[in-house]
Amino acid sequence: MNPLLEQLKDIVGSKGWTSDTNTLEPHVTEWRGYFTGRTPLMVMPANTDEVSRVIAACAEAGVGVVPQGGNTGMCAGAIPDESGTQILLSMARMNRIRNVDADNFSIEVEAGCVLQTIQEAALDAGRYFPLSLGAEGSCQIGGNIATNAGGLNVIRYGTARALVLGLEVVLADGTVLNSLRSLRKDTAGYDLKQLFVGSEGTLGVITAAALRLFPGPGDLGTALVAVPSSGTSVSLLGKLKACFPDQVQTFELVSDYVFGLVDRHVPDTSLPFDSGYPWYVLLEVATGKDPESLEAVLMEAIEEGLVLDAVIAKNSTEISNLWRLRHSISEAERQAGKALKHDISVPVSRMQEFLQRGDDLLKNLRPDATLVAFGHVGDGNLHYNVSLPHDLDPEEYARAGKRITGAIYDLVAELGGSFSAEHGVGQLKRSYLAEYRSGPEYDLMRTLKKTLDPANILNPGKVI
Ligand code: FAD
Ligand code: MLT
Ligand code: ZN
């Protein structure tokens, strides 16, 4: 091991590595603190050539490498295991915007660029990069692509996959695969870049990306509305989509319980309503030249019983106050203590049924469980989390957790959905991948992994 560590230090130079335990601590602990790992060395290469040499050296020595972006992932995919043998590969120093091509509506960036930096670079060039999530100030585009991140604007612009035009990737033997083309059309053979989107560092290390840019979204109307039930939100979504074709930018369902957690745990947040309602939707619609149109549609929705109350933000402060409520949810949930996270998706047409049957299922299985539900209902993705009494003994907690999670995932599968909508698999959901993607799909995933990484160097123990 030692000769390898010295070789890696040589490759990345004195600014490019650390083995200091305190510095490493946040890098070996996942965001919620449920998993920790150990590593003898974190390398921080400055360019693609260094990444390539690091991977080649690890492959030669048969030592695993764990790529890490902002370490904001929800499935413990970016931290090493407990063996203390895996090398951590931080992409943080590869954070250059290489080129903005405003005429081609594209941008080329290194994988370690923080998402927010890319959004800002696009804006500076009069363009718009629509990927947006609560962690955008610290997650990196390489991590976003490696997890096929979703977030808040998927309903209008798609997930990270839809925004990738080209990729540069270092393969498991150190070969650099250059598919960094900024093209909308390219049918020359298999679309190799797509293999790496959502592969969570198990098939290659993404070192750079060419991304799709858009014209600005236009004037957005932002509103927080109260709805009588979670199911009603789906009817409201249908109405908005009909009234504003392709203009619904965000549609986020949040339960009253979840906003209660935000109120309790995050300072300077408050709901803009006098009385409490059971469910809320934070929505954004591109109203274009007709800013009044949102109010008119919401008034109609009130008359139809789809909406109980509504607040439309009047200025940028009110907009950011509403968004602060939404962006504070993960932190509030983390502070509230352990919860079972279920990042599920179903076809929007089955969402109402899921919500109803999910409710019944929880009540039957564990009347003492609390539903902690929020998420991107506009694109069929809900964070259907469940918290159990914190004083349950650990064995009982584990048993109950397994039953609840299994029942929810079974329901999701029955409705044609996925147990992992946008957070990926990591180490947290590996067994569920084997269970719910068994058969030819799972076999082909294993074949791909074995073909691209025969010695299992890249992010061992994750996904598959
Ligand atoms: P990391 O956590 O560092 O890594 C994630 C995975 O990608 C790991 O398997 C890692 O090995 C791999 N990886 C990282 N970089 C590379 C690379 N360059 N090449 C190959 N593999 C790599 N996610 C959503 O989808 N939607 C949301 O709305 C959302 N909101 C969030 C809000 C908060 C407050 C937080 C903390 C997280 C949220 N997330 C959300 C989860 C997380 O931000 C995303 O999964 C994000 O895409 C991870 O990016 P990262 O740079 O932090 O990746
Ligand atoms: C979100 O939608 O806020 C995220 O996916 C993060 C989370 O689930 O906590
Ligand atoms: Zn989410």
Side-chain angles (χ1 to χ4, degrees):
M1 191 80 179
N2 271 345
L4 172 68
L5 300 186
E6 293 314 311
Q7 194 185 353
L8 295 177
K9 290 175 189 173
D10 271 356
I11 292 170
V12 294
S14 60
K15 286 191 190 145
W17 63 270
T18 180
S19 54
D20 175 67
T21 320
N22 287 335
T23 314
L24 285 175
E25 206 271 334
H27 295 276
V28 296
T29 311
E30 59 93 31
W31 196 77
R32 288 195 296 164
Y34 290 10
F35 290 81
T36 48
R38 290 192 307 128
T39 184
L41 187 71
M42 177 167 81
V43 288
M44 298 161 275
N47 54 51
T48 303
D49 180 56
E50 287 183 8
V51 176
S52 158
R53 287 161 59 208
V54 163
I55 299 292
C58 290
E60 181 80 32
V63 169
V65 186
V66 181
Q68 185 172 91
N71 197 20
T72 66
M74 292 285 173
C75 297
I79 59 163
D81 68 11
E82 289 168 334
S83 69
T85 58
Q86 299 180 337
I87 303 297
L88 195 52
L89 171 65
S90 162
M91 299 302 289
R93 286 172 76 211
M94 291 189 59
N95 59 1
R96 272 186 327 124
I97 304 275
R98 287 188 182 166
N99 174 40
V100 186
D101 185 343
D103 290 338
N104 192 48
F105 284 76
S106 63
I107 185 169
E108 192 181 308
V109 301
E110 290 182 345
C113 273
V114 169
L115 173 56
Q116 194 173 339
T117 310
I118 299 173
Q119 295 166 344
E120 286 165 3
L123 274 185
D124 286 347
R127 298 291 179 259
Y128 177 63
F129 185 61
L131 188 66
S132 174
L133 40 136
E136 63 199 22
S138 52
C139 64
Q140 299 174 5
I141 193 67
N144 300 146
I145 295 169
T147 54
N148 188 19
L152 305 156
N153 297 333
V154 170
I155 184 172
R156 198 168 181 207
Y157 297 98
T159 61
R161 182 183 301 284
L163 306 173
V164 172
L165 294 172
L167 287 183
E168 179 186 84
V169 180
V170 173
L171 302 179
D173 63 354
T175 303
V176 179
L177 180 85
N178 188 344
S179 298
L180 204 51
R181 288 175 286 272
S182 298
L183 300 173
R184 259 83 182 164
K185 296 182 93 171
D186 182 1
T187 51
Y190 303 130
D191 193 353
L192 296 176
K193 66 177 181 291
Q194 292 296 350
L195 274 180
F196 303 97
V197 181
S199 69
E200 300 180 57
T202 62
L203 299 181
V205 179
I206 299 162
T207 47
L211 304 167
R212 191 186 286 265
L213 298 181
F214 293 81
D219 289 336
L220 294 174
T222 307
L224 185 69
V225 307
V227 290
S229 68
S230 53
T232 322
S233 69
V234 183
S235 311
L236 175 65
L237 173 67
K239 181 177 177 71
L240 285 174
K241 279 170 136 179
C243 296
F244 300 101
D246 294 329
Q247 291 158 271
V248 181
Q249 169 115 350
T250 298
F251 192 92
E252 299 283 315
L253 179 68
V254 183
S255 74
D256 181 49
Y257 180 80
V258 168
F259 273 147
L261 292 183
V262 171
D263 187 46
R264 234 167 296 150
H265 295 289
V266 184
D268 304 324
T269 52
S270 66
L271 272 177
F273 295 108
D274 292 335
S275 55
Y277 297 104
W279 291 89
Y280 300 89
V281 173
L282 175 63
L283 57 93
E284 252 179 358
V285 171
T287 50
K289 294 200 172 68
D290 188 5
E292 313 292 303
S293 53
L294 179 59
E295 189 176 342
V297 170
L298 290 179
M299 288 300 288
E300 256 179 49
I302 290 176
E303 280 159 25
E304 290 162 9
L306 296 178
V307 166
L308 298 173
D309 206 345
V311 168
I312 301 179
K314 290 187 290 302
N315 51 48
S316 56
T317 311
E318 290 187 7
I319 293 174
S320 37
N321 286 345
L322 292 185
W323 273 112
R324 185 167 158 71
L325 284 167
R326 173 63 184 90
H327 285 318
S328 302
I329 293 175
S330 308
E331 182 55 33
E333 203 189 11
R334 179 164 73 162
Q335 300 219 14
K338 209 166 178 181
L340 306 163
K341 270 200 175 271
H342 306 116
D343 164 40
I344 64 95
S345 59
V346 292
V348 172
S349 52
R350 312 294 301 267
M351 183 58 88
Q352 235 152 345
E353 184 182 351
F354 171 77
L355 287 161
Q356 184 55 57
R357 289 178 60 185
D359 242 20
D360 295 345
L361 178 157
L362 268 189
K363 278 186 195 125
N364 285 335
L365 273 183
R366 280 306 293 206
D368 58 348
T370 307
L371 179 63
V372 188
F374 62 96
H376 323 285
V377 161
D379 60 45
N381 172 199
L382 192 62
H383 301 306
Y384 198 76
N385 305 338
V386 175
S387 111
L388 288 166
H390 289 155
D391 54 2
L392 276 190
D393 86 64
E395 270 180 29
E396 170 69 358
Y397 186 98
R399 243 193 330 268
K402 221 170 160 207
R403 273 184 72 207
I404 291 171
T405 299
I408 290 172
Y409 290 169
D410 283 348
L411 173 60
V412 165
E414 189 193 324
L415 298 178
S418 172
F419 69 89
S420 173
E422 60 170 10
H423 291 166
V425 174
Q427 30 180 328
L428 187 65
K429 299 184 189 161
R430 221 159 67 115
S431 63
Y432 295 110
L433 185 71
E435 191 178 339
Y436 291 97
R437 289 289 152 93
S438 54
E441 258 187 309
Y442 190 70
D443 291 346
L444 186 53
M445 287 189 208
R446 285 167 57 115
T447 305
L448 281 171
K449 172 69 177 169
K450 280 190 189 144
T451 307
L452 285 174
D453 184 16
N456 197 18
I457 298 298
L458 295 173
N459 218 357
K462 313 292 167 40
V463 184
I464 198 140

